[in-house]
Amino acid sequence: MWFRRAKDQSLDAHAATVERILADIKVNPAEARLQIEDGFGWSFRHGSATIEIYVSQKDGRGFLQVLSPIMHLPQTGLLALYRRLLELNLQLTNASLGVYLDVVYVYNERPLAGLDPEEANTIIELIAGYADELDNELVNEFGGRLYSQP
C-alpha cells in the first residue's frame, strides 16, 4: 500500500508543479483544469493553438504528456505533408509531430522519474511555441484547416 501512496504523492507533486508553471504564464490553473480519470489534465490557448498537459500513470509509471492538436489533414497532398512532418521531426527539440484520427499533433511525453520543474517548464514552453508557429505554417503550405477552427 505504501508504494501506491508514494506514486499518488508523486503525481500530486508534479501536478502542483504544472499548476505553478501555468500561473507563471498567466493561465488560471483552476480554469484550465480538465477532468480525467487517472491523473491530472489542463487545457489552455497559446496564440492560435490549444495546449493540453497531462500528468498521469500508465502501466504503473507516471508520465508528463504535453500535446497540441494543430491541424486537420487536408484532402489532398498528404504525401508531401507527411514528408514535411518527418523533416520537421529532425529539427524540433524535445518534440515530435504525429497524426491521430486525421489530426496533426505536436507532442512530448516523458516519464516523471527525474523530472524537475525547470525541465517541465521547458517542455511546456517548447510545445506551445512549436504549436503556435507550425499550425499556421503547415495550413498555409498544405491546406487543411487549423484545429482551432470549427
mmCIF file of all heavy atoms in Angstrom, residues 82-118:
data_model
loop_
_atom_site.group_PDB
_atom_site.id
_atom_site.type_symbol
_atom_site.label_atom_id
_atom_site.label_comp_id
_atom_site.label_asym_id
_atom_site.label_seq_id
_atom_site.Cartn_x
_atom_site.Cartn_y
_atom_site.Cartn_z
ATOM 1 N N TYR A 82 3.207 14.610 -45.176
ATOM 2 C CA TYR A 82 3.867 13.617 -44.316
ATOM 3 C C TYR A 82 5.393 13.745 -44.398
ATOM 4 O O TYR A 82 6.090 13.636 -43.398
ATOM 5 C CB TYR A 82 3.437 12.206 -44.695
ATOM 6 C CG TYR A 82 2.006 11.869 -44.350
ATOM 7 C CD1 TYR A 82 1.324 10.889 -45.044
ATOM 8 C CD2 TYR A 82 1.320 12.536 -43.338
ATOM 9 C CE1 TYR A 82 0.006 10.563 -44.746
ATOM 10 C CE2 TYR A 82 0.007 12.226 -43.031
ATOM 11 C CZ TYR A 82 -0.637 11.238 -43.736
ATOM 12 O OH TYR A 82 -1.936 10.926 -43.421
ATOM 13 N N ARG A 83 5.887 13.991 -45.599
ATOM 14 C CA ARG A 83 7.333 14.178 -45.754
ATOM 15 C C ARG A 83 7.791 15.394 -44.948
ATOM 16 O O ARG A 83 8.798 15.345 -44.251
ATOM 17 C CB ARG A 83 7.700 14.337 -47.231
ATOM 18 C CG ARG A 83 9.187 14.533 -47.422
ATOM 19 C CD ARG A 83 9.562 14.794 -48.876
ATOM 20 N NE ARG A 83 10.973 15.053 -48.957
ATOM 21 C CZ ARG A 83 11.868 14.163 -49.385
ATOM 22 N NH1 ARG A 83 11.485 12.971 -49.767
ATOM 23 N NH2 ARG A 83 13.136 14.486 -49.425
ATOM 24 N N ARG A 84 7.034 16.481 -45.035
ATOM 25 C CA ARG A 84 7.394 17.703 -44.286
ATOM 26 C C ARG A 84 7.362 17.440 -42.780
ATOM 27 O O ARG A 84 8.230 17.910 -42.048
ATOM 28 C CB ARG A 84 6.433 18.838 -44.656
ATOM 29 C CG ARG A 84 6.716 20.137 -43.958
ATOM 30 C CD ARG A 84 7.961 20.798 -44.529
ATOM 31 N NE ARG A 84 8.084 22.119 -43.951
ATOM 32 C CZ ARG A 84 9.135 22.511 -43.233
ATOM 33 N NH1 ARG A 84 10.158 21.706 -43.060
ATOM 34 N NH2 ARG A 84 9.157 23.708 -42.728
ATOM 35 N N LEU A 85 6.370 16.694 -42.295
ATOM 36 C CA LEU A 85 6.297 16.373 -40.870
ATOM 37 C C LEU A 85 7.516 15.577 -40.430
ATOM 38 O O LEU A 85 8.088 15.832 -39.360
ATOM 39 C CB LEU A 85 5.009 15.603 -40.550
ATOM 40 C CG LEU A 85 3.695 16.339 -40.769
ATOM 41 C CD1 LEU A 85 2.511 15.411 -40.472
ATOM 42 C CD2 LEU A 85 3.610 17.607 -39.950
ATOM 43 N N LEU A 86 7.948 14.615 -41.259
ATOM 44 C CA LEU A 86 9.147 13.835 -40.925
ATOM 45 C C LEU A 86 10.393 14.714 -40.920
ATOM 46 O O LEU A 86 11.259 14.567 -40.054
ATOM 47 C CB LEU A 86 9.317 12.675 -41.904
ATOM 48 C CG LEU A 86 8.341 11.519 -41.721
ATOM 49 C CD1 LEU A 86 8.462 10.537 -42.889
ATOM 50 C CD2 LEU A 86 8.583 10.817 -40.408
ATOM 51 N N GLU A 87 10.489 15.626 -41.869
ATOM 52 C CA GLU A 87 11.633 16.544 -41.892
ATOM 53 C C GLU A 87 11.643 17.425 -40.649
ATOM 54 O O GLU A 87 12.694 17.643 -40.037
ATOM 55 C CB GLU A 87 11.599 17.405 -43.152
ATOM 56 C CG GLU A 87 11.884 16.621 -44.422
ATOM 57 C CD GLU A 87 11.598 17.398 -45.696
ATOM 58 O OE1 GLU A 87 10.936 18.474 -45.630
ATOM 59 O OE2 GLU A 87 12.012 16.934 -46.774
ATOM 60 N N LEU A 88 10.480 17.917 -40.273
ATOM 61 C CA LEU A 88 10.385 18.756 -39.077
ATOM 62 C C LEU A 88 10.751 17.974 -37.821
ATOM 63 O O LEU A 88 11.338 18.531 -36.891
ATOM 64 C CB LEU A 88 8.986 19.355 -38.946
ATOM 65 C CG LEU A 88 8.656 20.494 -39.901
ATOM 66 C CD1 LEU A 88 7.158 20.780 -39.899
ATOM 67 C CD2 LEU A 88 9.458 21.737 -39.544
ATOM 68 N N ASN A 89 10.416 16.689 -37.761
ATOM 69 C CA ASN A 89 10.748 15.881 -36.587
ATOM 70 C C ASN A 89 12.248 15.892 -36.296
ATOM 71 O O ASN A 89 12.656 15.819 -35.146
ATOM 72 C CB ASN A 89 10.268 14.437 -36.750
ATOM 73 C CG ASN A 89 8.848 14.258 -36.299
ATOM 74 O OD1 ASN A 89 8.323 15.021 -35.507
ATOM 75 N ND2 ASN A 89 8.201 13.225 -36.819
ATOM 76 N N LEU A 90 13.075 15.995 -37.329
ATOM 77 C CA LEU A 90 14.519 16.046 -37.118
ATOM 78 C C LEU A 90 15.001 17.428 -36.691
ATOM 79 O O LEU A 90 16.123 17.567 -36.232
ATOM 80 C CB LEU A 90 15.261 15.621 -38.391
ATOM 81 C CG LEU A 90 15.208 14.135 -38.704
ATOM 82 C CD1 LEU A 90 15.909 13.843 -40.022
ATOM 83 C CD2 LEU A 90 15.841 13.327 -37.589
ATOM 84 N N GLN A 91 14.160 18.435 -36.838
ATOM 85 C CA GLN A 91 14.554 19.802 -36.493
ATOM 86 C C GLN A 91 14.049 20.245 -35.126
ATOM 87 O O GLN A 91 14.600 21.169 -34.531
ATOM 88 C CB GLN A 91 14.035 20.771 -37.551
ATOM 89 C CG GLN A 91 14.607 20.521 -38.922
ATOM 90 C CD GLN A 91 13.917 21.348 -39.991
ATOM 91 O OE1 GLN A 91 13.254 22.334 -39.704
ATOM 92 N NE2 GLN A 91 14.078 20.947 -41.239
ATOM 93 N N LEU A 92 12.991 19.617 -34.637
ATOM 94 C CA LEU A 92 12.392 20.026 -33.365
ATOM 95 C C LEU A 92 13.208 19.497 -32.191
ATOM 96 O O LEU A 92 13.740 18.389 -32.247
ATOM 97 C CB LEU A 92 10.951 19.510 -33.261
ATOM 98 C CG LEU A 92 9.980 19.955 -34.353
ATOM 99 C CD1 LEU A 92 8.615 19.319 -34.122
ATOM 100 C CD2 LEU A 92 9.868 21.468 -34.396
ATOM 101 N N THR A 93 13.285 20.280 -31.155
ATOM 102 C CA THR A 93 13.946 19.869 -29.921
ATOM 103 C C THR A 93 12.889 19.480 -28.913
ATOM 104 O O THR A 93 11.961 20.244 -28.647
ATOM 105 C CB THR A 93 14.789 21.034 -29.352
ATOM 106 O OG1 THR A 93 15.753 21.404 -30.321
ATOM 107 C CG2 THR A 93 15.467 20.639 -28.054
ATOM 108 N N ASN A 94 13.007 18.275 -28.364
ATOM 109 C CA ASN A 94 12.098 17.809 -27.301
ATOM 110 C C ASN A 94 10.640 17.778 -27.751
ATOM 111 O O ASN A 94 9.735 17.991 -26.945
ATOM 112 C CB ASN A 94 12.244 18.688 -26.060
ATOM 113 C CG ASN A 94 12.632 17.893 -24.845
ATOM 114 O OD1 ASN A 94 12.798 16.688 -24.902
ATOM 115 N ND2 ASN A 94 12.755 18.573 -23.731
ATOM 116 N N ALA A 95 10.406 17.516 -29.034
ATOM 117 C CA ALA A 95 9.040 17.478 -29.562
ATOM 118 C C ALA A 95 9.008 16.597 -30.799
ATOM 119 O O ALA A 95 10.026 16.416 -31.470
ATOM 120 C CB ALA A 95 8.558 18.881 -29.909
ATOM 121 N N SER A 96 7.835 16.068 -31.086
ATOM 122 C CA SER A 96 7.616 15.268 -32.291
ATOM 123 C C SER A 96 6.273 15.648 -32.890
ATOM 124 O O SER A 96 5.390 16.148 -32.202
ATOM 125 C CB SER A 96 7.590 13.780 -31.947
ATOM 126 O OG SER A 96 8.821 13.364 -31.421
ATOM 127 N N LEU A 97 6.141 15.348 -34.165
ATOM 128 C CA LEU A 97 4.874 15.530 -34.860
ATOM 129 C C LEU A 97 4.316 14.155 -35.201
ATOM 130 O O LEU A 97 5.065 13.231 -35.524
ATOM 131 C CB LEU A 97 5.074 16.338 -36.140
ATOM 132 C CG LEU A 97 5.459 17.798 -35.897
ATOM 133 C CD1 LEU A 97 6.182 18.365 -37.097
ATOM 134 C CD2 LEU A 97 4.217 18.605 -35.588
ATOM 135 N N GLY A 98 3.004 14.028 -35.113
ATOM 136 C CA GLY A 98 2.350 12.771 -35.441
ATOM 137 C C GLY A 98 0.933 13.026 -35.882
ATOM 138 O O GLY A 98 0.425 14.151 -35.785
ATOM 139 N N VAL A 99 0.288 11.974 -36.369
ATOM 140 C CA VAL A 99 -1.088 12.071 -36.845
ATOM 141 C C VAL A 99 -1.920 11.044 -36.104
ATOM 142 O O VAL A 99 -1.527 9.885 -35.977
ATOM 143 C CB VAL A 99 -1.178 11.818 -38.369
ATOM 144 C CG1 VAL A 99 -2.623 11.831 -38.836
ATOM 145 C CG2 VAL A 99 -0.356 12.840 -39.132
ATOM 146 N N TYR A 100 -3.066 11.491 -35.611
ATOM 147 C CA TYR A 100 -4.023 10.606 -34.948
ATOM 148 C C TYR A 100 -5.427 11.060 -35.328
ATOM 149 O O TYR A 100 -5.758 12.246 -35.179
ATOM 150 C CB TYR A 100 -3.831 10.649 -33.428
ATOM 151 C CG TYR A 100 -4.781 9.752 -32.676
ATOM 152 C CD1 TYR A 100 -4.660 8.369 -32.738
ATOM 153 C CD2 TYR A 100 -5.810 10.290 -31.929
ATOM 154 C CE1 TYR A 100 -5.539 7.549 -32.049
ATOM 155 C CE2 TYR A 100 -6.694 9.480 -31.227
ATOM 156 C CZ TYR A 100 -6.551 8.104 -31.300
ATOM 157 O OH TYR A 100 -7.424 7.291 -30.623
ATOM 158 N N LEU A 101 -6.224 10.142 -35.855
ATOM 159 C CA LEU A 101 -7.602 10.435 -36.278
ATOM 160 C C LEU A 101 -7.681 11.671 -37.177
ATOM 161 O O LEU A 101 -8.475 12.582 -36.966
ATOM 162 C CB LEU A 101 -8.528 10.596 -35.065
ATOM 163 C CG LEU A 101 -8.685 9.369 -34.179
ATOM 164 C CD1 LEU A 101 -9.556 9.698 -32.967
ATOM 165 C CD2 LEU A 101 -9.272 8.200 -34.962
ATOM 166 N N ASP A 102 -6.817 11.718 -38.179
ATOM 167 C CA ASP A 102 -6.794 12.792 -39.175
ATOM 168 C C ASP A 102 -6.477 14.173 -38.607
ATOM 169 O O ASP A 102 -6.844 15.193 -39.190
ATOM 170 C CB ASP A 102 -8.106 12.839 -39.973
ATOM 171 C CG ASP A 102 -8.289 11.604 -40.841
ATOM 172 O OD1 ASP A 102 -7.277 10.992 -41.227
ATOM 173 O OD2 ASP A 102 -9.439 11.254 -41.135
ATOM 174 N N VAL A 103 -5.795 14.203 -37.477
ATOM 175 C CA VAL A 103 -5.355 15.463 -36.880
ATOM 176 C C VAL A 103 -3.850 15.378 -36.664
ATOM 177 O O VAL A 103 -3.343 14.359 -36.179
ATOM 178 C CB VAL A 103 -6.076 15.733 -35.539
ATOM 179 C CG1 VAL A 103 -5.522 16.984 -34.861
ATOM 180 C CG2 VAL A 103 -7.578 15.871 -35.762
ATOM 181 N N VAL A 104 -3.140 16.447 -37.021
ATOM 182 C CA VAL A 104 -1.700 16.530 -36.784
ATOM 183 C C VAL A 104 -1.477 17.087 -35.387
ATOM 184 O O VAL A 104 -2.089 18.098 -35.006
ATOM 185 C CB VAL A 104 -1.010 17.436 -37.830
ATOM 186 C CG1 VAL A 104 0.476 17.594 -37.523
ATOM 187 C CG2 VAL A 104 -1.216 16.889 -39.240
ATOM 188 N N TYR A 105 -0.604 16.428 -34.629
ATOM 189 C CA TYR A 105 -0.272 16.840 -33.264
ATOM 190 C C TYR A 105 1.219 17.140 -33.161
ATOM 191 O O TYR A 105 2.030 16.487 -33.821
ATOM 192 C CB TYR A 105 -0.551 15.706 -32.264
ATOM 193 C CG TYR A 105 -1.996 15.457 -31.987
ATOM 194 C CD1 TYR A 105 -2.778 14.699 -32.845
ATOM 195 C CD2 TYR A 105 -2.588 15.976 -30.836
ATOM 196 C CE1 TYR A 105 -4.115 14.461 -32.578
ATOM 197 C CE2 TYR A 105 -3.926 15.737 -30.564
ATOM 198 C CZ TYR A 105 -4.678 14.982 -31.434
ATOM 199 O OH TYR A 105 -6.001 14.748 -31.162
ATOM 200 N N VAL A 106 1.552 18.082 -32.309
ATOM 201 C CA VAL A 106 2.924 18.241 -31.834
ATOM 202 C C VAL A 106 2.884 17.807 -30.372
ATOM 203 O O VAL A 106 1.954 18.172 -29.639
ATOM 204 C CB VAL A 106 3.466 19.683 -32.027
ATOM 205 C CG1 VAL A 106 2.637 20.718 -31.316
ATOM 206 C CG2 VAL A 106 4.921 19.780 -31.624
ATOM 207 N N TYR A 107 3.856 16.981 -29.968
ATOM 208 C CA TYR A 107 3.750 16.415 -28.624
ATOM 209 C C TYR A 107 5.099 16.053 -28.025
ATOM 210 O O TYR A 107 6.113 15.959 -28.716
ATOM 211 C CB TYR A 107 2.839 15.177 -28.631
ATOM 212 C CG TYR A 107 3.412 14.008 -29.396
ATOM 213 C CD1 TYR A 107 4.139 13.013 -28.757
ATOM 214 C CD2 TYR A 107 3.233 13.908 -30.766
ATOM 215 C CE1 TYR A 107 4.674 11.950 -29.464
ATOM 216 C CE2 TYR A 107 3.762 12.856 -31.473
ATOM 217 C CZ TYR A 107 4.485 11.873 -30.820
ATOM 218 O OH TYR A 107 5.022 10.841 -31.525
ATOM 219 N N ASN A 108 5.061 15.842 -26.727
ATOM 220 C CA ASN A 108 6.189 15.329 -25.956
ATOM 221 C C ASN A 108 5.613 14.475 -24.845
ATOM 222 O O ASN A 108 4.624 14.871 -24.209
ATOM 223 C CB ASN A 108 7.021 16.471 -25.356
ATOM 224 C CG ASN A 108 8.113 15.968 -24.433
ATOM 225 O OD1 ASN A 108 7.845 15.461 -23.343
ATOM 226 N ND2 ASN A 108 9.343 16.110 -24.861
ATOM 227 N N GLU A 109 6.206 13.332 -24.613
ATOM 228 C CA GLU A 109 5.837 12.501 -23.478
ATOM 229 C C GLU A 109 7.121 12.084 -22.796
ATOM 230 O O GLU A 109 8.062 11.642 -23.446
ATOM 231 C CB GLU A 109 5.043 11.276 -23.924
ATOM 232 C CG GLU A 109 4.571 10.439 -22.746
ATOM 233 C CD GLU A 109 3.672 9.303 -23.165
ATOM 234 O OE1 GLU A 109 4.114 8.474 -23.982
ATOM 235 O OE2 GLU A 109 2.528 9.260 -22.686
ATOM 236 N N ARG A 110 7.125 12.234 -21.462
ATOM 237 C CA ARG A 110 8.330 11.965 -20.694
ATOM 238 C C ARG A 110 7.950 11.328 -19.369
ATOM 239 O O ARG A 110 6.983 11.749 -18.730
ATOM 240 C CB ARG A 110 9.052 13.287 -20.448
ATOM 241 C CG ARG A 110 10.393 13.116 -19.774
ATOM 242 C CD ARG A 110 10.641 14.267 -18.829
ATOM 243 N NE ARG A 110 11.977 14.272 -18.281
ATOM 244 C CZ ARG A 110 12.356 13.507 -17.259
ATOM 245 N NH1 ARG A 110 11.518 12.668 -16.697
ATOM 246 N NH2 ARG A 110 13.574 13.582 -16.784
ATOM 247 N N PRO A 111 8.721 10.310 -18.919
ATOM 248 C CA PRO A 111 8.466 9.756 -17.580
ATOM 249 C C PRO A 111 8.651 10.824 -16.509
ATOM 250 O O PRO A 111 9.481 11.734 -16.652
ATOM 251 C CB PRO A 111 9.516 8.654 -17.431
ATOM 252 C CG PRO A 111 9.936 8.315 -18.821
ATOM 253 C CD PRO A 111 9.799 9.595 -19.612
ATOM 254 N N LEU A 112 7.890 10.719 -15.437
ATOM 255 C CA LEU A 112 8.014 11.675 -14.334
ATOM 256 C C LEU A 112 9.299 11.471 -13.538
ATOM 257 O O LEU A 112 9.788 12.414 -12.913
ATOM 258 C CB LEU A 112 6.806 11.551 -13.388
ATOM 259 C CG LEU A 112 5.463 12.007 -13.958
ATOM 260 C CD1 LEU A 112 4.354 11.741 -12.945
ATOM 261 C CD2 LEU A 112 5.499 13.465 -14.370
ATOM 262 N N ALA A 113 9.834 10.264 -13.553
ATOM 263 C CA ALA A 113 11.054 9.979 -12.790
ATOM 264 C C ALA A 113 12.165 10.938 -13.214
ATOM 265 O O ALA A 113 12.511 11.026 -14.390
ATOM 266 C CB ALA A 113 11.481 8.535 -13.003
ATOM 267 N N GLY A 114 12.685 11.681 -12.267
ATOM 268 C CA GLY A 114 13.777 12.611 -12.527
ATOM 269 C C GLY A 114 13.368 13.933 -13.137
ATOM 270 O O GLY A 114 14.220 14.782 -13.402
ATOM 271 N N LEU A 115 12.092 14.136 -13.373
ATOM 272 C CA LEU A 115 11.620 15.393 -13.967
ATOM 273 C C LEU A 115 11.644 16.496 -12.924
ATOM 274 O O LEU A 115 11.071 16.364 -11.848
ATOM 275 C CB LEU A 115 10.193 15.225 -14.501
ATOM 276 C CG LEU A 115 9.539 16.459 -15.118
ATOM 277 C CD1 LEU A 115 10.249 16.863 -16.401
ATOM 278 C CD2 LEU A 115 8.067 16.200 -15.388
ATOM 279 N N ASP A 116 12.330 17.595 -13.237
ATOM 280 C CA ASP A 116 12.325 18.729 -12.317
ATOM 281 C C ASP A 116 11.487 19.863 -12.905
ATOM 282 O O ASP A 116 11.136 19.837 -14.094
ATOM 283 C CB ASP A 116 13.755 19.187 -11.984
ATOM 284 C CG ASP A 116 14.536 19.697 -13.189
ATOM 285 O OD1 ASP A 116 13.949 20.373 -14.069
ATOM 286 O OD2 ASP A 116 15.741 19.438 -13.265
ATOM 287 N N PRO A 117 11.134 20.853 -12.097
ATOM 288 C CA PRO A 117 10.266 21.941 -12.574
ATOM 289 C C PRO A 117 10.819 22.697 -13.780
ATOM 290 O O PRO A 117 10.059 23.082 -14.672
ATOM 291 C CB PRO A 117 10.151 22.864 -11.356
ATOM 292 C CG PRO A 117 10.353 21.957 -10.187
ATOM 293 C CD PRO A 117 11.376 20.952 -10.649
ATOM 294 N N GLU A 118 12.132 22.878 -13.838
ATOM 295 C CA GLU A 118 12.719 23.606 -14.961
ATOM 296 C C GLU A 118 12.524 22.838 -16.271
ATOM 297 O O GLU A 118 12.172 23.417 -17.300
ATOM 298 C CB GLU A 118 14.214 23.838 -14.717
ATOM 299 C CG GLU A 118 14.876 24.667 -15.794
ATOM 300 C CD GLU A 118 16.329 24.953 -15.482
ATOM 301 O OE1 GLU A 118 16.676 25.155 -14.308
ATOM 302 O OE2 GLU A 118 17.117 24.979 -16.449
#
